[in-house]
Short mmCIF file of all heavy atoms in Angstrom, two decimals:
data_model
loop_
_atom_site.label_atom_id
_atom_site.label_comp_id
_atom_site.label_asym_id
_atom_site.label_seq_id
_atom_site.Cartn_x
_atom_site.Cartn_y
_atom_site.Cartn_z
N LEU A 118 176.08 17.75 -124.63
CA LEU A 118 175.27 18.95 -124.72
C LEU A 118 174.83 19.49 -123.36
O LEU A 118 174.37 20.63 -123.26
CB LEU A 118 174.03 18.68 -125.57
CG LEU A 118 174.31 18.42 -127.06
CD1 LEU A 118 173.05 17.93 -127.76
CD2 LEU A 118 174.83 19.69 -127.74
N ARG A 119 174.93 18.69 -122.30
CA ARG A 119 174.52 19.16 -120.97
C ARG A 119 175.49 20.24 -120.49
O ARG A 119 176.70 20.02 -120.39
CB ARG A 119 174.50 18.01 -119.98
CG ARG A 119 173.91 18.37 -118.61
CD ARG A 119 172.42 18.63 -118.69
NE ARG A 119 171.81 18.66 -117.35
CZ ARG A 119 170.52 18.88 -117.14
NH1 ARG A 119 169.70 19.05 -118.18
NH2 ARG A 119 170.04 18.89 -115.90
N ALA A 120 174.96 21.41 -120.18
CA ALA A 120 175.81 22.54 -119.79
C ALA A 120 176.47 22.29 -118.43
O ALA A 120 175.84 21.74 -117.53
CB ALA A 120 174.97 23.81 -119.73
N PRO A 121 177.72 22.71 -118.28
CA PRO A 121 178.43 22.49 -117.01
C PRO A 121 177.79 23.18 -115.82
O PRO A 121 177.99 22.76 -114.68
CB PRO A 121 179.83 23.06 -117.29
CG PRO A 121 179.97 23.09 -118.76
CD PRO A 121 178.59 23.31 -119.30
N ASP A 122 177.01 24.25 -116.06
CA ASP A 122 176.41 24.96 -114.94
C ASP A 122 175.08 24.35 -114.50
O ASP A 122 174.48 24.82 -113.53
CB ASP A 122 176.21 26.44 -115.29
CG ASP A 122 175.30 26.65 -116.49
OD1 ASP A 122 175.28 25.78 -117.38
OD2 ASP A 122 174.61 27.68 -116.55
N LEU A 123 174.63 23.29 -115.19
CA LEU A 123 173.43 22.58 -114.78
C LEU A 123 173.81 21.32 -114.00
O LEU A 123 174.89 20.76 -114.21
CB LEU A 123 172.62 22.16 -116.01
CG LEU A 123 171.96 23.27 -116.83
CD1 LEU A 123 171.28 22.69 -118.07
CD2 LEU A 123 170.96 24.05 -115.99
N PRO A 124 172.95 20.87 -113.12
CA PRO A 124 173.21 19.57 -112.47
C PRO A 124 173.28 18.48 -113.53
O PRO A 124 172.71 18.63 -114.62
CB PRO A 124 171.99 19.37 -111.55
CG PRO A 124 171.36 20.71 -111.43
CD PRO A 124 171.66 21.46 -112.69
N PRO A 125 173.94 17.38 -113.26
CA PRO A 125 173.96 16.28 -114.22
C PRO A 125 172.55 15.87 -114.61
O PRO A 125 171.63 15.88 -113.77
CB PRO A 125 174.69 15.16 -113.48
CG PRO A 125 175.54 15.86 -112.48
CD PRO A 125 174.75 17.07 -112.05
N LEU A 126 172.35 15.53 -115.87
CA LEU A 126 171.06 15.03 -116.34
C LEU A 126 170.85 13.63 -115.79
O LEU A 126 171.70 12.75 -115.96
CB LEU A 126 171.04 15.00 -117.87
CG LEU A 126 169.76 14.50 -118.54
CD1 LEU A 126 168.60 15.44 -118.27
CD2 LEU A 126 169.98 14.32 -120.04
N GLU A 127 169.74 13.42 -115.10
CA GLU A 127 169.46 12.11 -114.52
C GLU A 127 168.78 11.24 -115.56
O GLU A 127 167.80 11.66 -116.19
CB GLU A 127 168.60 12.28 -113.27
CG GLU A 127 169.31 13.17 -112.24
CD GLU A 127 168.66 13.15 -110.90
OE1 GLU A 127 168.95 12.23 -110.11
OE2 GLU A 127 167.89 14.08 -110.62
N VAL A 128 169.31 10.03 -115.77
CA VAL A 128 168.85 9.21 -116.88
C VAL A 128 168.52 7.79 -116.44
O VAL A 128 169.09 7.26 -115.49
CB VAL A 128 169.90 9.18 -118.02
CG1 VAL A 128 170.21 10.58 -118.52
CG2 VAL A 128 171.19 8.46 -117.60
N CYS A 129 167.57 7.20 -117.17
CA CYS A 129 167.23 5.80 -117.02
C CYS A 129 167.37 5.11 -118.37
O CYS A 129 167.06 5.69 -119.41
CB CYS A 129 165.79 5.64 -116.52
SG CYS A 129 165.49 6.21 -114.85
N VAL A 130 167.80 3.88 -118.34
CA VAL A 130 167.89 3.06 -119.55
C VAL A 130 166.56 2.35 -119.76
O VAL A 130 166.04 1.72 -118.83
CB VAL A 130 169.05 2.05 -119.44
CG1 VAL A 130 168.94 0.97 -120.52
CG2 VAL A 130 170.38 2.79 -119.54
N GLN A 131 166.02 2.46 -120.97
CA GLN A 131 164.76 1.79 -121.28
C GLN A 131 165.02 0.35 -121.69
O GLN A 131 165.86 0.07 -122.55
CB GLN A 131 164.01 2.52 -122.40
CG GLN A 131 162.65 1.89 -122.69
CD GLN A 131 161.83 2.68 -123.70
OE1 GLN A 131 162.21 3.77 -124.12
NE2 GLN A 131 160.70 2.14 -124.09
N VAL A 132 164.27 -0.56 -121.09
CA VAL A 132 164.39 -1.99 -121.37
C VAL A 132 163.09 -2.47 -122.00
O VAL A 132 162.00 -2.20 -121.49
CB VAL A 132 164.69 -2.79 -120.09
CG1 VAL A 132 164.84 -4.28 -120.41
CG2 VAL A 132 165.96 -2.27 -119.41
N ASN A 133 163.20 -3.17 -123.11
CA ASN A 133 162.03 -3.74 -123.78
C ASN A 133 161.73 -5.07 -123.10
O ASN A 133 162.26 -6.11 -123.48
CB ASN A 133 162.31 -3.91 -125.27
CG ASN A 133 161.07 -4.29 -126.06
OD1 ASN A 133 160.14 -4.88 -125.53
ND2 ASN A 133 161.07 -3.98 -127.35
N VAL A 134 160.85 -5.03 -122.11
CA VAL A 134 160.62 -6.22 -121.28
C VAL A 134 159.69 -7.23 -121.94
O VAL A 134 159.61 -8.37 -121.48
CB VAL A 134 160.04 -5.82 -119.90
CG1 VAL A 134 161.08 -5.08 -119.08
CG2 VAL A 134 158.77 -4.99 -120.06
N SER A 135 158.97 -6.81 -122.98
CA SER A 135 158.00 -7.71 -123.61
C SER A 135 158.40 -8.15 -125.01
O SER A 135 157.66 -8.91 -125.65
CB SER A 135 156.61 -7.06 -123.64
OG SER A 135 156.69 -5.75 -124.18
N GLY A 136 159.54 -7.67 -125.50
CA GLY A 136 160.02 -8.11 -126.81
C GLY A 136 159.22 -7.60 -127.99
O GLY A 136 159.31 -8.15 -129.09
N GLU A 137 158.45 -6.53 -127.80
CA GLU A 137 157.64 -5.99 -128.90
C GLU A 137 158.53 -5.22 -129.87
O GLU A 137 159.29 -4.33 -129.49
CB GLU A 137 156.58 -5.05 -128.35
CG GLU A 137 155.51 -5.70 -127.52
CD GLU A 137 154.57 -4.66 -126.96
OE1 GLU A 137 154.90 -4.06 -125.92
OE2 GLU A 137 153.52 -4.45 -127.57
N ALA A 138 158.38 -5.53 -131.15
CA ALA A 138 159.17 -4.84 -132.17
C ALA A 138 158.83 -3.36 -132.25
O ALA A 138 159.66 -2.54 -132.65
CB ALA A 138 158.96 -5.52 -133.52
N SER A 139 157.60 -3.01 -131.87
CA SER A 139 157.15 -1.61 -131.97
C SER A 139 157.65 -0.74 -130.83
O SER A 139 157.50 0.48 -130.87
CB SER A 139 155.62 -1.57 -132.01
OG SER A 139 155.09 -2.12 -130.82
N LYS A 140 158.24 -1.35 -129.81
CA LYS A 140 158.68 -0.59 -128.64
C LYS A 140 160.18 -0.37 -128.66
O LYS A 140 160.96 -1.22 -129.09
CB LYS A 140 158.29 -1.36 -127.36
CG LYS A 140 156.81 -1.23 -127.05
CD LYS A 140 156.61 -0.90 -125.58
CE LYS A 140 155.15 -0.58 -125.32
NZ LYS A 140 154.31 -1.77 -125.38
N GLY A 141 160.58 0.78 -128.13
CA GLY A 141 161.99 1.05 -127.96
C GLY A 141 162.53 0.29 -126.76
O GLY A 141 161.80 -0.35 -126.02
N GLY A 142 163.84 0.41 -126.57
CA GLY A 142 164.46 -0.23 -125.42
C GLY A 142 165.41 -1.33 -125.81
O GLY A 142 165.22 -1.99 -126.83
N VAL A 143 166.41 -1.52 -124.99
CA VAL A 143 167.35 -2.62 -125.19
C VAL A 143 166.72 -3.90 -124.64
O VAL A 143 165.79 -3.86 -123.85
CB VAL A 143 168.69 -2.35 -124.49
CG1 VAL A 143 169.38 -1.14 -125.10
CG2 VAL A 143 168.51 -2.15 -122.99
N THR A 144 167.24 -5.02 -125.07
CA THR A 144 166.78 -6.28 -124.50
C THR A 144 167.34 -6.40 -123.08
O THR A 144 168.34 -5.77 -122.73
CB THR A 144 167.27 -7.48 -125.32
OG1 THR A 144 168.71 -7.58 -125.18
CG2 THR A 144 166.91 -7.34 -126.80
N PRO A 145 166.72 -7.21 -122.25
CA PRO A 145 167.26 -7.40 -120.89
C PRO A 145 168.71 -7.86 -120.90
O PRO A 145 169.49 -7.46 -120.02
CB PRO A 145 166.33 -8.46 -120.30
CG PRO A 145 165.02 -8.22 -120.99
CD PRO A 145 165.39 -7.86 -122.40
N ASP A 146 169.10 -8.65 -121.89
CA ASP A 146 170.48 -9.13 -121.96
C ASP A 146 171.47 -8.02 -122.31
O ASP A 146 172.66 -8.14 -122.01
CB ASP A 146 170.60 -10.26 -122.99
CG ASP A 146 169.93 -11.54 -122.52
OD1 ASP A 146 169.69 -11.69 -121.31
OD2 ASP A 146 169.63 -12.40 -123.38
N GLU A 147 170.98 -6.96 -122.97
CA GLU A 147 171.86 -5.87 -123.40
C GLU A 147 171.96 -4.74 -122.36
O GLU A 147 172.84 -3.87 -122.47
CB GLU A 147 171.35 -5.27 -124.71
CG GLU A 147 171.36 -6.22 -125.89
CD GLU A 147 170.58 -5.69 -127.08
OE1 GLU A 147 169.61 -4.91 -126.88
OE2 GLU A 147 170.92 -6.07 -128.21
N ALA A 148 171.08 -4.76 -121.39
CA ALA A 148 170.96 -3.61 -120.49
C ALA A 148 172.22 -3.36 -119.66
O ALA A 148 172.64 -2.22 -119.49
CB ALA A 148 169.76 -3.79 -119.57
N ALA A 149 172.82 -4.40 -119.15
CA ALA A 149 173.96 -4.22 -118.25
C ALA A 149 175.13 -3.55 -118.96
O ALA A 149 175.77 -2.64 -118.40
CB ALA A 149 174.40 -5.57 -117.67
N ALA A 150 175.40 -3.96 -120.19
CA ALA A 150 176.52 -3.37 -120.94
C ALA A 150 176.27 -1.90 -121.23
O ALA A 150 177.17 -1.06 -121.11
CB ALA A 150 176.75 -4.15 -122.23
N LEU A 151 175.04 -1.56 -121.63
CA LEU A 151 174.72 -0.16 -121.91
C LEU A 151 174.82 0.67 -120.64
O LEU A 151 175.37 1.77 -120.65
CB LEU A 151 173.33 -0.04 -122.52
CG LEU A 151 172.86 1.38 -122.84
CD1 LEU A 151 173.84 2.07 -123.79
CD2 LEU A 151 171.46 1.37 -123.43
N CYS A 152 174.34 0.15 -119.53
CA CYS A 152 174.44 0.88 -118.27
C CYS A 152 175.90 1.13 -117.89
O CYS A 152 176.26 2.23 -117.44
CB CYS A 152 173.73 0.11 -117.16
SG CYS A 152 171.92 0.16 -117.24
N ALA A 153 176.74 0.13 -118.07
CA ALA A 153 178.16 0.30 -117.73
C ALA A 153 178.80 1.39 -118.58
O ALA A 153 179.62 2.18 -118.08
CB ALA A 153 178.89 -1.03 -117.91
N ASP A 154 178.44 1.44 -119.86
CA ASP A 154 179.00 2.48 -120.75
C ASP A 154 178.49 3.86 -120.36
O ASP A 154 179.27 4.83 -120.32
CB ASP A 154 178.62 2.18 -122.20
CG ASP A 154 179.38 1.00 -122.79
OD1 ASP A 154 180.47 0.67 -122.27
OD2 ASP A 154 178.88 0.41 -123.76
N ILE A 155 177.21 3.98 -120.07
CA ILE A 155 176.64 5.28 -119.71
C ILE A 155 177.21 5.77 -118.38
O ILE A 155 177.44 6.97 -118.18
CB ILE A 155 175.11 5.20 -119.65
CG1 ILE A 155 174.54 4.97 -121.06
CG2 ILE A 155 174.51 6.46 -119.04
CD1 ILE A 155 173.05 4.73 -121.10
N ALA A 156 177.47 4.85 -117.47
CA ALA A 156 177.97 5.23 -116.15
C ALA A 156 179.31 5.96 -116.22
O ALA A 156 179.67 6.69 -115.30
CB ALA A 156 178.10 3.99 -115.27
N ARG A 157 180.03 5.78 -117.32
CA ARG A 157 181.35 6.42 -117.47
C ARG A 157 181.27 7.80 -118.09
O ARG A 157 182.29 8.50 -118.19
CB ARG A 157 182.25 5.53 -118.31
CG ARG A 157 182.65 4.23 -117.63
CD ARG A 157 183.76 3.51 -118.38
NE ARG A 157 183.25 2.85 -119.58
CZ ARG A 157 182.84 1.59 -119.62
NH1 ARG A 157 182.86 0.85 -118.52
NH2 ARG A 157 182.41 1.05 -120.75
N LEU A 158 180.09 8.23 -118.53
CA LEU A 158 179.97 9.51 -119.23
C LEU A 158 179.84 10.67 -118.24
O LEU A 158 179.13 10.56 -117.24
CB LEU A 158 178.74 9.49 -120.15
CG LEU A 158 178.78 8.50 -121.31
CD1 LEU A 158 177.44 8.51 -122.04
CD2 LEU A 158 179.92 8.83 -122.26
N PRO A 159 180.49 11.80 -118.53
CA PRO A 159 180.32 12.98 -117.68
C PRO A 159 178.98 13.66 -117.95
O PRO A 159 178.34 13.45 -118.99
CB PRO A 159 181.48 13.89 -118.12
CG PRO A 159 181.73 13.51 -119.56
CD PRO A 159 181.44 12.02 -119.63
N ARG A 160 178.54 14.47 -117.00
CA ARG A 160 177.34 15.30 -117.11
C ARG A 160 176.05 14.51 -117.10
O ARG A 160 174.97 15.06 -117.30
CB ARG A 160 177.36 16.22 -118.34
CG ARG A 160 178.64 17.04 -118.53
CD ARG A 160 178.98 17.89 -117.33
NE ARG A 160 177.83 18.70 -116.87
CZ ARG A 160 177.62 19.03 -115.60
NH1 ARG A 160 178.43 18.62 -114.64
NH2 ARG A 160 176.58 19.76 -115.26
N LEU A 161 176.14 13.17 -116.91
CA LEU A 161 174.97 12.34 -116.76
C LEU A 161 175.06 11.61 -115.43
O LEU A 161 176.15 11.26 -114.98
CB LEU A 161 174.85 11.29 -117.88
CG LEU A 161 174.79 11.76 -119.33
CD1 LEU A 161 174.60 10.56 -120.24
CD2 LEU A 161 173.68 12.78 -119.54
N SER A 162 173.90 11.38 -114.82
CA SER A 162 173.82 10.56 -113.61
C SER A 162 172.90 9.38 -113.92
O SER A 162 171.68 9.56 -114.09
CB SER A 162 173.28 11.37 -112.44
OG SER A 162 173.12 10.56 -111.28
N LEU A 163 173.47 8.19 -114.02
CA LEU A 163 172.69 7.00 -114.33
C LEU A 163 171.92 6.58 -113.09
O LEU A 163 172.49 6.22 -112.07
CB LEU A 163 173.61 5.87 -114.79
CG LEU A 163 172.93 4.54 -115.12
CD1 LEU A 163 171.98 4.69 -116.31
CD2 LEU A 163 173.97 3.47 -115.40
#
Side-chain angles (χ1 to χ4, degrees):
L118 292 170
R119 187 69 166 180
D122 60 330
L123 292 176
L126 180 66
E127 301 192 84
V128 302
C129 293
V130 166
Q131 183 174 354
V132 181
N133 189 334
V134 292
S135 51
E137 293 176 277
S139 61
K140 284 227 172 72
V143 296
T144 68
D146 289 341
E147 296 168 332
L151 179 57
C152 287
D154 287 338
I155 292 174
R157 291 191 284 268
L158 295 175
R160 310 304 310 148
L161 302 183
S162 176
L163 179 64

